[in-house]
Amino acid sequence: MVVRKYMYPAILKPPATLSFSDQFAYRPTGSTTAAIITILHTITHLLATNPYVIVIALDFSKAFDTVRHHTLLDKIAKLDIPDHIYNWLTDFFTGHSHQTHYGGSVSQIQCISTSIIQGSAVGPTSYVANASDLHTIYHGNELCKYADDTCLIVPASNVDIRTVELKNITNWATINNLSLNLRKSEEIVFIDKRRKSS
């Protein structure tokens, strides 16, 4: 009920500092199909004026497990949700701890200040809120996000600034306690075979 009645409507009318239009997972009108169509449409549109388009597929390592609660709650506070719902979410993400029992030994209790519990009803939508302030910094470049998978789309005209965009994403990840999984990240170059290009 919290997600459907309060978080989804807030996502549909976000404040200026947050954007959900490039996120296709865990939100109303978002789907894998919509993400693929958007990526293909963006590439096709950019190929009309560029000899090639670069798509850098990025993956964040254990993203749902590393989101800091206080960072997430700062972003959720910007959404138009009632105070009692925000307080409920704060309570939901506060006071978690872990202790391991193994072979007759018991570890000390450790407080948990990260993790949004991917399998919970609130977790996936919370990740969407967490990623809502990740934007490109140069006009013409685009992001397409599906949960913790992010595609950076760069036309040939911006090829020299793609490293600046990647640095921006890396900085955002550091601030948000996330790290890029380079082994799962790929760069793909799309060309229009109907046009001659060197």
Side-chain angles (χ1 to χ4, degrees), residues 141-195:
N141 297 337
E142 301 284 342
L143 283 179
C144 182
K145 297 178 266 188
Y146 190 86
D148 58 341
D149 296 313
T150 301
C151 287
L152 171 62
I153 304 171
V154 181
S157 57
N158 287 352
V159 70
D160 293 336
I161 56 175
R162 74 176 182 247
T163 54
V164 177
E165 289 285 9
L166 287 170
K167 182 71 173 168
N168 174 58
I169 293 170
T170 302
N171 289 341
W172 176 88
T174 300
I175 290 167
N176 287 276
N177 201 39
L178 300 170
S179 62
L180 287 172
N181 184 344
L182 298 179
R183 284 180 283 161
K184 285 189 176 179
S185 298
E186 296 286 338
E187 182 179 65
I188 308 161
V189 179
F190 291 87
I191 60 169
D192 186 348
K193 290 184 178 180
R194 295 171 296 178
R195 294 168 46 185

